[in-house]
Amino acid sequence: MNFLYYVLATLLYLLALPYLLYLRFKPKYKDSIPARFFLKHNPSFSEGGIWFHACSFGEVRSLSPLIEKIDPSSLRLSVITQTGFHEACKHAKAEVRYLPFEIFLPFWIRKQKVLIVMEAELWPLLFIVAKAKGMRTVLLNARISDHSYASYQRFAWVYRWILSHIDLVLAQSEQDAQRLQHLGAKLVQVSGNIKMFGTYTLSHAYAKAEGKRVVVVASTHEGEEALILSHVNLLPNDQLVVVPRHPERFLNVGLFLSEYAQNQGKRYACLSKQPTLDADVILCDTMGELINLYAIADIVILGGSFVEGVGGHNPLEPAFFGVKLISGASIFNQKVLFEAVENSITCKIEDLKNIFDSIEDYPKSAISHRSDIAPLLEQILGS
């Protein structure tokens, strides 16, 4: 099975080469494609470290509470996306790499003490090669949503094969644990969502304009800005800040917000060119600012929850700052986190207008409980 998969992956790589060469010229992939698929400036890790693998910006950031407890000289971080790479590089003494495409892993991977993989990064050869080189393997923050469980079951034999190479699976909930066991995971323990261990510190403190009510529309996806704003009646003293989830959408969202502001008779600015909050409608087009904006927000509308297929985004971050918190009803990927938040409001898009109009009648959100990270670290390291 392992050899057959390697052959198929090699054939896929060869077939995809023309497309990969095309993609490498797109800004979103200009660093990641050469590094992952051609090993450009992407050497192997030094041996003997503690290796975390995460896909992108959000997953890397959520690992911070664990990473901060580990000797920086032992830290190895691999990622998939460019935004994830830039976030990982903030851990100055860590070795940071893009994870190569699977056919390179048998030659690229060097033995580490443990491999910890975040969530759904189930690359078969990553675990197979790690085990072959004598590493302990851990799947962290594992979950299977209602939305995706049926597809997992259809390919249960594939997941059983992958999970057989994982020593410990740390699931977000009891339901996730049961589903993973059904799919063949050997040792499953419930550890909760790693984001519940997070601490939130500001990288920049924005001055809040006197008399303004700050409304942050956060982590929006394609078409969601227009959908949300068409169901929200802003007050004259409201200051709107929109934060798209993906940086490649900044330009198009900026064009939309500029037109929206003009139609509303409001002033528009983007944060990268005007790093103060002195406009009425603001596009946050820089990464890593969301926490800073939550800190001054009065109302947060969480995106990724009013469109299908995303499953919502992390409510703990805004709840930490006690905002009035609204989310769409599609939160299948964040159920565990929403259970840890008091007074969050979930609604269908057709109900958003009435809720927003009466938002002052709702209590502020709060995190109901937090967890100690020390036991989780012991589970991961096997100590």
Side-chain angles (χ1 to χ4, degrees):
M1 180 70 173
N2 296 356
F3 178 74
L4 177 61
Y5 181 82
Y6 188 86
V7 170
L8 291 174
T10 303
L11 290 174
L12 177 63
Y13 175 76
L14 294 173
L15 289 171
L17 271 176
Y19 186 57
L20 292 170
L21 291 170
Y22 163 74
L23 282 181
R24 68 175 298 182
F25 294 104
K26 290 183 173 289
K28 181 180 178 180
Y29 303 110
K30 66 182 179 66
D31 296 326
S32 60
I33 292 288
R36 295 193 62 225
F37 293 93
F38 303 99
L39 299 185
K40 183 179 180 181
H41 306 311
N42 199 30
S44 300
F45 288 125
S46 304
E47 291 188 2
I50 297 171
W51 178 9
F52 289 91
H53 172 69
C55 178
S56 58
F57 178 90
E59 287 81 9
V60 174
R61 172 164 281 191
S62 66
L63 281 171
S64 292
L66 278 173
I67 289 172
E68 290 165 0
K69 301 291 184 181
I70 292 170
D71 178 3
S73 64
S74 298
L75 192 56
R76 316 285 186 258
L77 294 171
S78 64
V79 300
I80 299 293
T81 69
Q82 290 180 177
T83 54
F85 187 86
H86 296 151
E87 181 67 16
C89 286
K90 292 179 181 178
H91 301 280
K93 295 184 179 180
E95 293 184 24
V96 180
R97 305 285 189 268
Y98 286 100
L99 183 73
F101 184 61
E102 290 184 278
I103 63 171
F104 299 109
L105 294 180
F107 319 104
W108 187 85
I109 289 177
R110 294 181 180 176
K111 184 179 179 181
Q112 310 298 328
K113 294 175 183 176
V114 60
L115 166 66
I116 306 107
V117 176
M118 275 288 283
E119 295 190 1
E121 285 290 286
L122 293 174
W123 300 101
L125 287 175
L126 175 59
F127 292 104
I128 290 167
V129 175
K131 286 302 296 176
K133 292 183 182 278
M135 294 185 223
R136 172 178 166 82
T137 54
V138 178
L139 182 63
L140 176 64
N141 224 41
R143 60 177 169 82
I144 301 178
S145 69
D146 298 340
H147 188 76
S148 59
Y149 188 41
S151 63
Y152 274 85
Q153 288 179 304
R154 280 196 297 272
F155 297 97
W157 61 276
V158 175
Y159 291 105
R160 188 170 293 108
W161 168 57
I162 298 171
L163 291 167
S164 70
H165 296 91
I166 302 176
D167 296 316
L168 173 64
V169 176
L170 295 172
Q172 292 189 22
S173 70
E174 290 288 352
Q175 185 180 65
D176 293 319
Q178 291 171 8
R179 289 174 174 177
L180 286 156
Q181 286 171 330
H182 179 72
L183 290 171
K186 295 183 292 186
L187 177 59
V188 184
Q189 297 175 4
V190 177
S191 62
N193 191 308
I194 191 174
K195 294 175 182 177
M196 295 174 65
F197 301 96
T199 56
Y200 306 109
T201 55
L202 305 185
S203 59
H204 177 77
Y206 287 106
K208 185 174 181 177
E210 186 176 352
K212 288 287 187 180
R213 186 176 74 164
V214 178
V215 180
V216 175
V217 179
S219 295
T220 51
H221 291 252
E222 185 71 39
E224 209 167 16
E225 298 86 8
L227 184 64
I228 290 171
L229 292 180
S230 67
H231 288 80
V232 165
N233 292 325
L234 296 174
L235 299 178
N237 68 321
D238 282 345
Q239 185 175 51
L240 174 68
V241 185
V242 177
V243 190
R245 180 69 174 180
H246 299 117
E248 61 269 23
R249 297 189 58 243
F250 288 163
L251 178 60
N252 287 339
V253 176
L255 293 173
F256 166 75
L257 289 177
S258 177
E259 183 178 352
Y260 171 84
Q262 186 176 14
N263 292 339
Q264 298 289 322
K266 297 179 180 292
R267 293 175 299 128
Y268 166 76
C270 56
L271 207 57
S272 63
K273 295 179 181 177
Q274 189 174 321
T276 55
L277 303 180
D278 57 0
D280 304 309
V281 177
I282 299 168
L283 168 68
C284 177
D285 57 347
T286 55
M287 298 295 291
E289 292 295 329
L290 199 49
I291 293 294
N292 301 331
L293 293 169
Y294 285 155
I296 61 164
D298 296 290
I299 303 168
V300 170
I301 302 176
L302 267 181
S305 57
F306 293 98
V307 292
E308 292 301 317
V310 179
H313 288 299
N314 181 6
L316 295 179
E317 293 174 343
F320 179 82
F321 295 97
V323 304
K324 304 287 183 77
L325 178 59
I326 305 172
S327 171
S330 181
I331 55 170
F332 57 83
N333 277 332
Q334 307 294 335
K335 283 185 177 180
V336 172
L337 296 186
F338 273 89
E339 289 170 1
V341 173
E342 296 176 350
N343 305 325
S344 64
I345 307 160
T346 56
C347 66
K348 295 181 179 179
I349 189 64
E350 56 265 29
D351 299 321
L352 178 59
K353 181 182 182 302
N354 289 336
I355 289 172
F356 188 84
D357 287 346
S358 59
I359 193 65
E360 298 304 325
D361 297 332
Y362 289 86
K364 294 180 178 181
S365 61
I367 299 175
S368 58
H369 62 273
R370 301 181 69 81
S371 303
D372 180 13
I373 203 165
L376 176 61
L377 191 60
E378 290 178 3
Q379 285 178 297
I380 289 171
L381 300 181
S383 55

